[in-house]
Each structure stands twice: as structure tokens, then as C-alpha cells.
Amino acid sequence: MRSQSIQDRSAEAMPPERRHLLDVAGYDWSALRTILDAAATIQRAIATPGWRGDELAGRRIATLFYEASTRTRLSFEIAARALGADVVSLDVATSSIGKGESLVDTVRTLRALGVDVVVLRHERSGAPWIVARAFEGSVVNAGDGWHAHPTQALLDLFVLTQRIGATDGSLHGRRIAIVGDLLHSRVARSDLHALIAAGAEVRLSGPENLVEGFDQFTAALSREAKRRDGHAAGSARLVTTLDEALEGVDAAMALRIQRERLDGGEIASLEEYRRHWGLTEERLAAHAAPSAIVMHPGPMNEGIEIDANVADGPRSVVLEQVAAGVAVRAAVLAQAVRGELPPVGGGA
Ligand code: CP
């Protein structure tokens, strides 16, 4: 068994920015590609009958979810086990967190129990950064507040590059719509960073009070991408209607109406929301490219932001997104433990 001091020395020797995945903001296309390429290798290996990885053998991964999750938590746990890790999952509801234990004390406790990686979901934006300062192993952000969901962005990018990628593998020139409740969506924010870095032209749309601030945000991101990536840069803009957002797109992503984060009054009614913002086959057929794919990060409110026949129809890659989560998260865990995550701003 490894001693605590050996663990600490090996983790401390790694620069924090190479051992934590907190955000995809600041990653350029080559950094993103480093993770996607590793995920593609793992995806091929996982598809081989009887394959079992050992890259994380002897490592202990803890999932620490202060908010509900199905896909993210299970895919991290499946990914970690596929690479040979020992996985522990803290049930926040029945843990000492209920007795008032702080987040920092909880992760220090996990470290004392030999945990190498904490996969954290938290309702407070910024919580993973606090943990990263207190925890000497690796921290992977599995979604913080409305702020960021980096591994969702990576898996969305993975599916998009496989499905509609340009010849160089990027999303250069590809048109992608993200529609719905942008305001409360950490997925939308992280996807925007990743898709623009991959060269995509992103169109955003949603009810006026659920897109607040996104016109300035998209303009700032587009300017920053242009400065960083020149002619290879993608862009994003906010448009007024769903039809405008869908015009000619190669991919359309519906966002979940986050009823648990709405405090009333944001939308008139769910029927009204579907009428204006729901992804229906009629709308897609009328506006999107004939071969356009449909995405949703899940969980879905079928019949509200996306019709059931679209979610389950031939355009849908929703379950491909879920499956991709395993390979992408395995790649992230392996790179985090090795201290080889791409640094923000290049120089890998
Ligand atoms: N997309 C996503 O984060 O799903 P879960 O909340 O089920 O993890």
C-alpha cells in the first residue's frame, strides 16, 4: 500500500494546471484535441471484447456529488473502473456533510483516506477551484453551479467532431445551434468555449429573460478567439428566434429547462415554451440542414424543449453523447493522474 507521503510528493511535483481539469475556458483547439485523441484511443480499446485497462491501477477515485446526476457520475465511475481504479462514491445526503462538515474538510478527509482524484459536482460556481487549492491530488470539475461543465463540453465536442467534423478534424465552418435556457446552463457556457476554439459558428437563442448577458458574452468570446486563433477561430452570436438559430445548421442542441433553478415568472407556461423554443421535427425539417444531428446534454424534458420523436428519432445522438462520456472521462482521469492535462494557453 502506498504511504500518504509518497502520494503527496508525487502529486505535489505536478503543476496544478496539469493535474486538475476545472474548466475548458482558455483551451485552444490543439489542447482540446490532445484530450479528444486520447479519448478516441480509449473508445477503441473499450470496444474490444475482454479489454481491461490498468492505467489507473492502484489509484483511488472519489465521486463527490452535491447535486443530482445520472450520466456524469456513472460515466466517471465506469471510466475509472475501466482503467483499473478503485472507485469510492460519497453519498452526500448520509455523510458528515449533513453534520456541517465543510467542503475543504471533506476533501482533506478523502485525501487522508488515500484518494488521488476528486470528481466534484457542486451547486456553487467556483467550488472546484476552492477544492483544488486544498486537495493535493487531482480535481475534476463535474459541473459547478451555472458556471462550467468541462467534461460535458469535451464529450459534446467528441461526438460533434466524429459526426460532422471537417477534414482536419476540427469544426471549422460547421454551424451549430444551442437553444433554450442559456442563463442557467453550465453546459452552454462550457460548450461555447470548446466549440469556438474548435472553429464552429455557434448560434444561440432562447427566451429573452433566459439569454440575459449572452450577447456580450458571445461577442467577447468571439473577439478572444479571433485574437488567439486568427482565421481558424470560430464565433458565436445570439439570435432572436429559434427558426433563425436553426437555419442551415449541421447540429442543434436543446438545453434542459432547469425547473429547479427557475424562481417563477421566467416562462409563461411549458406549452408556450414548447411552441416558441421546442425542437420539433417540423422545425428541423424546415430550417436545419437535411443531415443535421440533434443533441441534448440530458436529462431531457421530452415534449417541452425537445419532442419525443426528435429525441428518439434518426437525427438524435443523445445516447452517443452519454456513451462518449466514458471514453472522454477516462482520458481526462488518466491525464489528470499523470499530470499531463494540456495547460491553458498551449505549450503541452
Ligand atoms: N449532462 C449531465 O450533466 O447529466 P447528469 O446531470 O445526469 O450528470
Side-chain angles (χ1 to χ4, degrees), residues 68-73 121 149 152 297-299:
S69 168
T70 300
R71 292 148 202 79
T72 311
R73 178 163 163 175
R121 171 167 291 186
H149 195 347
Q152 179 73 42

Side-chain angles (χ1 to χ4, degrees), residues 65 67-75 121 142-143 149 152 155 186-187 256 296-299 329:
F65 278 52
E67 265 189 3
S69 168
T70 300
R71 292 148 202 79
T72 311
R73 178 163 163 175
L74 287 183
S75 59
R121 171 167 291 186
H149 195 347
Q152 179 73 42
L155 75 87
R186 56 193 172 215
V187 174
R256 182 170 72 88
H296 192 302
R329 289 172 173 134

Side-chain angles (χ1 to χ4, degrees), residues 18 29 34 52 79 149 198 249 266 268 285-286 296 303 305 311 317 336-337 345:
R18 308 295 302 266
W29 170 234
T34 305
R52 194 118 198 112
H149 195 347
V249 291
E266 288 94 342
H296 192 302
E305 72 261 5
V317 296
V337 162

Side-chain angles (χ1 to χ4, degrees), residues 18-21 27 31-46 51 55-56 61 75-76 78-83 117 138 140 151 154-155 158 323-342:
R18 308 295 302 266
R19 67 175 208 266
H20 304 309
L21 180 72
Y27 272 175
L32 293 166
R33 185 137 195 195
T34 305
I35 301 174
L36 301 190
D37 287 349
T41 303
I42 292 172
Q43 189 186 50
R44 283 190 295 274
I46 288 172
W51 180 84
E55 187 142 1
L56 296 178
I61 314 289
S75 59
F76 266 113
I78 292 166
R81 288 198 182 98
L83 297 186
V117 183
S138 295
V140 179
T151 58
L154 287 164
L155 75 87
F158 187 75
V326 174
V328 166
R329 289 172 173 134
V332 165
L333 290 173
Q335 292 184 354
V337 162
R338 291 199 304 265
E340 290 178 3
L341 284 162

